[in-house]
């Protein structure tokens, strides 16, 4: 089968033929139709410090996909050939303290497809049946193929927050921030301010329902105007940029909540006393998607018709154009980018 491979510990990907994976008795083989391309793939492509410390080439890249079940292992009961599916790409141990207390999204033994084992930028992928998630008939393979980052946005927006009626600031309108705008809107936020330095992405945030989409230098004025000077109830930090993180703590109201998804490239200094403690702020660190509360929410929001992620998808490429896909992501001109595989 055709697949996009991280062949060696150097920058780049190679498109090549590899054997179709064989499945274990508890796994399913999925024919991949659509696959989302993510910042993580860019890190692996560029072979940056994080990728060098984490990944062991050769392996097939890619962790976001939608497709059709081709074959199931002997022990698999509730998935069958022909099912339309996506999957949680974090494969957890199921037996550790965290897994056994309903917190498997932070299982320390997590293996991620396309990072720690073969991924989905290929015609087929093998997945444990427990990770498979069925798509409703009216959900396209393309939307199935972006459930992973959409799930990051659902997790950040809805876990532990009181979204109905809330005022919200979203710092960072990458694909996940743009999804988050639509989710907050569907969940009943009363006012959504989105910030980014990139005008194309601000336009996408407006298309997804933001009330204001502004450059970070204008975020404070927009937040003060929308909240009678108070600050927002909830900030979703979705950039990982230090100045945006400080702005998150500056613009959340006293007693508010900051949900932290963006990953800073290196450690940053925070004044805990003034930025968090004396403001009585609650901070939540987001890892992946909660298994499987986030997935249930995602399916139900899509079913309701009140949340539609499709305006966020701006570019589609065949696998052979992988270099162009990576280029448009790096350029900042794209929202969500998707490979059309089979
Ligand atoms: P992205 O890098 O495309 O989006 C970040 C956006 O922040 C960009 O549009 C950028 O222009 C914008 N930005 C830059 N400076 C800014 C500023 N000062 N104020 C506001 N916005 C600013 O990435 P994405 O795929 O949407 O992911 C968002 C973040 O979440 C990244 O840091 C990514 O690494 C992280 N992430 C975390 C998890 C997790 O489980 N915690 C999962 C996936 C992604
Ligand atoms: Zn575990």
């Amino acid at each position: 089968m055709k697949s996009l491979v991280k062949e060696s510990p150097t920058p780049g990907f190679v498109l090549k033929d590899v054997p179709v994976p064989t499945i274990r008795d508890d796994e399913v083989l999925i024919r991949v139709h659509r696959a989302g391309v993510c910042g993580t793939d860019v890190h692996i492509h560029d072979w940056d410090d994080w990728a060098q410390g984490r990944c062991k080439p050769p392996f097939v890249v890619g962790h976001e996909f939608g497709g059709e079940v081709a074959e199931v292992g002997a022990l698999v009961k509730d998935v069958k050939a022909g099912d339309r599916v996506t999957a949680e790409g974090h494969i957890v141990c199921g037996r550790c303290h965290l897994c056994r207390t309903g917190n498997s999204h932070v299982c320390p033994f997590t293996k991620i497809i396309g990072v720690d084992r073969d991924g989905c930028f290929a015609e087929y992928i093998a997945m444990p049946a427990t990770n498979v998630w069925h798509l409703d008939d009216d959900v396209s393979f393309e939307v199935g193929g972006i459930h992973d980052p959409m799930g990051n946005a659902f997790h950040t927006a809805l876990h532990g927050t009181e979204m109905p009626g809330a005022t919200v600031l979203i710092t960072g309108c990458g694909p996940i921030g743009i999804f988050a705008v639509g989710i907050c809107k569907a969940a009943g936020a009363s006012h959504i301010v989105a910030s980014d330095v990139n005008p194309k992405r601000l336009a996408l945030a407006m298309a997804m329902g933001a009330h204001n989409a502004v450059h970070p230098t204008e975020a404070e004025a927009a937040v003060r105007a929308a909240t009678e000077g108070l600050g927002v109830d909830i900030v979703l930090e979705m950039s990982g940029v230090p100045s945006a993180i400080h702005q998150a703590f500056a613009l959340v109201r006293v007693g508010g909540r900051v949900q932290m998804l963006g990953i800073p490239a290196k450690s940053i200094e925070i004044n805990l006393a003034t930025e968090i403690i004396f403001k009585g702020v609650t901070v939540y660190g987001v890892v992946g998607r909660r298994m499987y509360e986030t997935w249930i929410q995602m399916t139900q929001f899509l079913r309701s018709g009140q949340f539609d992620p499709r305006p966020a998808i701006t570019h589609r490429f065949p696998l052979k154009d992988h270099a162009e896909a990576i280029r448009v992501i790096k350029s900042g001109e794209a929202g969500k980018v998707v490979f059309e595989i089979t």
Side-chain angles (χ1 to χ4, degrees):
M1 64 172 186
K2 286 248 171 314
S3 67
L4 200 59
V5 175
K6 185 72 189 175
E7 182 96 304
S8 60
T10 50
F13 292 144
V14 179
L15 185 64
K16 62 183 283 195
D17 281 315
V18 302
V20 173
T22 50
I23 53 169
R24 302 186 328 194
D25 286 349
D26 61 349
E27 289 184 333
V28 310
L29 185 70
I30 300 164
R31 184 163 175 82
V32 179
H33 290 315
R34 298 290 182 271
V37 193
C38 158
T40 302
D41 304 316
V42 177
H43 291 296
I44 296 171
H45 176 275
D46 290 355
W47 202 238
D48 67 6
D49 289 346
W50 170 82
Q52 289 182 32
R54 172 87 182 232
C55 305
K56 294 184 181 55
F59 61 95
V60 177
V61 201
H63 56 274
E64 312 172 355
F65 71 93
E68 207 168 333
V69 175
E71 191 186 324
V72 305
L75 297 174
V76 176
K77 297 277 178 263
D78 64 343
V79 182
K80 57 181 192 321
D83 285 358
R84 304 172 71 260
V85 299
T86 176
E88 167 57 62
H90 289 194
I91 296 167
V92 299
C93 80
R95 292 195 44 82
C96 71
H97 178 99
L98 282 312
C99 283
R100 288 182 157 185
T101 54
N103 294 292
S104 50
H105 64 295
V106 284
C107 168
F109 307 104
T110 301
K111 299 270 181 266
I112 305 180
I113 61 170
V115 175
D116 305 310
R117 60 181 257 165
D118 283 337
C120 64
F121 293 162
E123 290 173 86
Y124 292 93
I125 182 170
M127 285 302 295
T130 49
N131 283 60
V132 170
W133 192 258
H134 285 99
L135 299 172
D136 283 358
D137 289 344
D138 62 351
V139 173
S140 65
F141 289 120
E142 183 169 86
V143 170
I146 58 170
H147 268 45
D148 169 304
M150 239 164 60
N152 295 138
F154 271 99
H155 183 182
T156 312
L158 299 185
H159 186 71
T161 60
E162 290 176 36
M163 193 53 76
T167 53
V168 183
L169 169 65
I170 299 173
T171 51
C173 301
I176 303 177
I178 304 167
F179 292 139
V181 170
I183 294 161
C184 293
K185 186 98 174 177
S190 62
H191 197 102
I192 303 164
V193 178
S195 71
D196 201 296
V197 293
N198 176 335
K200 288 203 170 136
R201 291 185 157 185
L202 292 177
L204 289 170
M206 287 305 284
M208 292 295 283
H211 297 84
N212 315 105
V214 296
H215 190 275
T217 51
E218 293 154 21
E220 170 151 20
V223 163
R224 301 287 175 216
T227 63
E228 292 166 355
L230 189 65
V232 289
D233 301 316
I234 303 165
V235 181
L236 311 182
E237 205 307 294
M238 301 192 141
S239 74
V241 172
S243 57
I245 293 171
H246 290 299
Q247 197 166 45
F249 292 118
L251 298 185
V252 71
R253 69 163 162 78
V254 171
R257 205 172 159 104
V258 178
Q259 307 278 93
M260 305 204 66
L261 173 95
I263 303 169
K266 48 186 203 281
S267 61
I268 76 167
E269 198 171 300
I270 300 278
N271 186 329
L272 282 173
T274 57
E275 294 184 88
I276 298 179
I277 299 169
F278 293 128
K279 282 191 80 168
V281 169
T282 302
V283 178
Y284 177 67
V286 179
V287 179
R289 300 143 298 277
R290 294 187 64 89
M291 294 168 215
Y292 277 80
E293 299 95 301
T294 304
W295 292 82
I296 293 168
Q297 286 172 328
M298 225 175 335
T299 291
Q300 294 182 168
F301 270 72
L302 287 173
R303 224 170 252 172
S304 76
Q306 289 176 46
F307 169 67
D308 181 359
R310 288 173 295 184
I313 304 170
T314 57
H315 292 70
R316 298 160 178 88
F317 297 102
L319 263 191
K320 71 173 177 51
D321 293 344
H322 55 92
E324 179 61 6
I326 298 289
R327 189 197 66 75
V328 297
I329 293 178
K330 284 188 182 179
S331 74
E333 68 201 67
K336 190 68 202 169
V337 177
V338 173
F339 280 135
E340 300 186 323
I341 298 183
T342 58

